[in-house]
């Protein structure tokens, strides 16, 4: 209950109200279930996410790392929850421009999701998209493009052609086309994304 209320405040940008609730939820979970329970990993992850959103990276990193370590020990190294922890830690490094640290984590997250959930799962598409974003940020467009395309294809098939995640994939691929001077293709994808966004309003 504390966690859910904290998440509501977090979503509203009321971070000062969210933080003590996340902390209290974590403390209760650790006491009731032990320090190495998967629910503790979830609580750590949520608090870390709050700090990341506020740019408090030094506070977020050890929480993400502890969440990952708990997940690996309690659930095994190939569990989808471990993939989520890897993805979140990679995102923290990407935000800080530490691309060399982010890349292997994104790749491992993708590999786990593809193995555990199958090659056509939306979570795998999210990992492909995140890895493509990492490459795109570094100007490595040739590496990013096939990942964006694969992510888009999975999302269209799994979620339907008018899902907001499909719009996100279209927008990301359009941005890559603009960066590589393919404006005609970019505009086409951008228009399709805008149509999806309008449908969902």
């Amino acid at each position: 209950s504390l966690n859910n209320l904290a998440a509501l405040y977090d979503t509203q940008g009321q971070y000062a109200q969210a933080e003590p609730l996340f902390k209290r939820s974590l403390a209760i979970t650790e006491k009731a279930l032990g320090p190495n329970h998967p629910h503790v990993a979830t609580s750590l992850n949520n608090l870390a996410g709050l700090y990341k959103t506020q740019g408090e990276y030094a506070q977020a990193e050890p929480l993400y790392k502890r969440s990952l370590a708990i997940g690996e020990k309690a659930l095994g190294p190939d569990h989808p929850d471990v993939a989520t922890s890897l993805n979140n830690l990679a995102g923290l490094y990407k935000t800080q421009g530490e691309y060399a640290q982010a890349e292997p984590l994104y790749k491992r997250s993708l590999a786990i999701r593809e193995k555990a959930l199958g090659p056509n799962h939306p979570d795998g598409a999210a990992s492909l998209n995140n890895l493509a974003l990492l490459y795109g940020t570094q100007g490595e467009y040739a590496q990013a493009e096939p990942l964006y395309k694969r992510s888009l294809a999975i999302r269209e098939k799994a979620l339907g052609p008018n899902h907001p995640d499909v719009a996100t994939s279209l927008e990301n691929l359009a941005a890559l086309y603009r960066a590589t001077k393919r404006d005609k293709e970019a505009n086409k994808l951008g228009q399709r994304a805008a149509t999806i966004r309008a449908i969902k309003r």
Side-chain angles (χ1 to χ4, degrees), residues 102-104 106-108 110-111 114 119-138 140-156 165-166 168-170 172-174 176-177 182:
E103 184 179 357
Y106 275 141
K107 284 183 171 179
R108 196 179 145 211
L110 172 62
E114 287 184 321
N120 298 311
H121 194 279
D123 287 356
S127 285
L128 287 163
N129 184 72
N130 290 341
L131 186 56
L133 278 168
L134 181 72
Y135 290 139
T137 301
Q138 298 174 83
E140 297 175 4
Y141 303 123
Q143 286 181 271
E145 185 172 345
L147 302 181
Y148 277 141
K149 286 181 173 177
R150 201 171 138 218
S151 175
L152 173 61
I154 292 168
R155 284 172 165 172
E156 285 179 316
D165 287 354
V166 172
T168 299
S169 285
L170 290 165
N172 290 341
L173 188 54
L176 183 145
Y177 285 152
R182 287 178 278 173

Side-chain angles (χ1 to χ4, degrees), residues 55-72:
E56 297 175 7
Y57 306 132
Q59 287 181 268
E61 185 177 359
L63 301 182
Y64 275 139
K65 284 183 171 179
R66 195 180 148 211
S67 176
L68 173 60
I70 292 169
E72 287 180 316

Side-chain angles (χ1 to χ4, degrees), residues 25 30 38 44 49 52 58 66 72 80 95 100 109 117 120 126 144 159 167 173 180 185 188 190-191:
S25 175
E30 284 183 311
L44 288 163
K52 183 195 170 198
R66 195 180 148 211
E72 287 180 316
T95 301
S109 175
L117 305 171
N120 298 311
L159 304 172
L173 188 54
T180 52
E185 291 171 84
K188 188 177 177 183
Q191 286 169 1

Side-chain angles (χ1 to χ4, degrees), residues 4-44:
N4 292 343
L5 183 57
L8 176 68
Y9 288 140
D10 187 10
T11 303
Q12 296 175 312
Q14 297 179 39
Y15 307 128
Q17 287 179 269
E19 185 179 357
L21 301 182
F22 274 140
K23 283 183 171 178
R24 197 175 145 215
S25 175
L26 172 61
I28 292 169
T29 306
E30 284 183 311
K31 188 175 181 182
L33 302 174
N36 298 312
H37 193 279
H39 289 345
V40 173
T42 300
S43 289
L44 288 163

Side-chain angles (χ1 to χ4, degrees), residues 71-83:
E72 287 180 316
K73 188 175 181 182
L75 304 170
D78 298 320
H79 193 278
D81 287 358
V82 171

Side-chain angles (χ1 to χ4, degrees), residues 91-107:
L92 180 71
Y93 289 140
K94 177 182 176 287
T95 301
Q96 297 176 86
E98 297 175 7
Y99 305 131
Q101 286 181 269
E103 184 179 357
L105 301 182
Y106 275 141
K107 284 183 171 179

